[in-house]
Amino acid sequence: MARTAAKKTVKKKTAGKTKTSSARRKTAHRGAKRGGRRWSKRVTETSDALDLKGGVFTLRDPKKIAASLKRSAEDSKRRKANPYRSALSMLTFYINRAGKNLSASRRKVLDRAKDELRVQFAKR
């Protein structure tokens, strides 16, 4: 029983706020630095979303992007939702993660790919 009490994190109360010990903050920060840099890559590779063909988001033709996503979504054994939803969510995920680093022309191509996905899955 004394052992478990010794392992608990030390907390200090200061003006109504709870602070954890500095040792805990340092290790948490180090862990975030080490594994947090490429979390979106890890999500795309290991999540139960899709098995994507390499370089699909670098294609210039929205129809080819949509066709590749559709093919991947229909063939994937790892997805949980229906193929259309998985393909669209992966495309949206990529656009959101790129954020401000995505050029206007690239964003336009990817937005057109969204529209093309709707057409190819007959969702209009």
Side-chain angles (χ1 to χ4, degrees):
M1 184 120 188
R3 241 184 203 178
T4 29
K7 287 185 180 181
K8 290 185 180 178
T9 308
V10 178
K11 293 185 180 186
K12 297 177 185 177
K13 284 199 172 194
T14 312
K17 295 180 182 177
T18 306
K19 292 185 177 182
T20 56
S21 68
S22 61
R24 182 173 175 188
R25 273 186 271 136
K26 284 180 185 175
T27 55
H29 182 64
R30 234 182 283 131
K33 235 182 186 181
R34 185 176 47 232
R37 182 169 157 84
R38 304 244 186 244
W39 73 267
S40 59
K41 180 181 180 184
R42 186 173 34 85
V43 166
T44 355
E45 291 173 349
T46 61
S47 74
D48 289 331
L50 291 180
D51 295 318
L52 291 176
K53 184 179 177 184
V56 67
F57 297 118
T58 59
L59 298 172
R60 297 190 184 274
D61 185 16
K63 289 185 180 182
K64 288 183 181 179
I65 294 171
S68 179
L69 284 169
K70 181 179 181 187
R71 196 176 320 109
S72 295
E74 289 174 339
D75 294 345
S76 179
K77 305 276 189 257
R78 293 171 42 202
R79 66 177 167 77
K80 292 180 181 177
N82 64 7
Y84 169 71
R85 214 167 143 189
S86 292
L88 190 61
S89 69
M90 188 56 79
L91 181 55
T92 305
F93 174 76
Y94 180 78
I95 292 170
N96 290 343
R97 289 311 304 151
K100 293 178 183 176
N101 297 326
L102 200 58
S103 68
S105 60
R106 215 43 226 143
R107 183 175 293 277
K108 190 179 286 187
V109 169
L110 294 172
D111 283 335
R112 287 182 184 160
K114 277 185 183 181
D115 296 334
E116 188 58 36
L117 258 179
R118 290 182 192 106
V119 170
Q120 289 188 16
F121 276 103
K123 293 288 183 179
R124 273 205 174 166

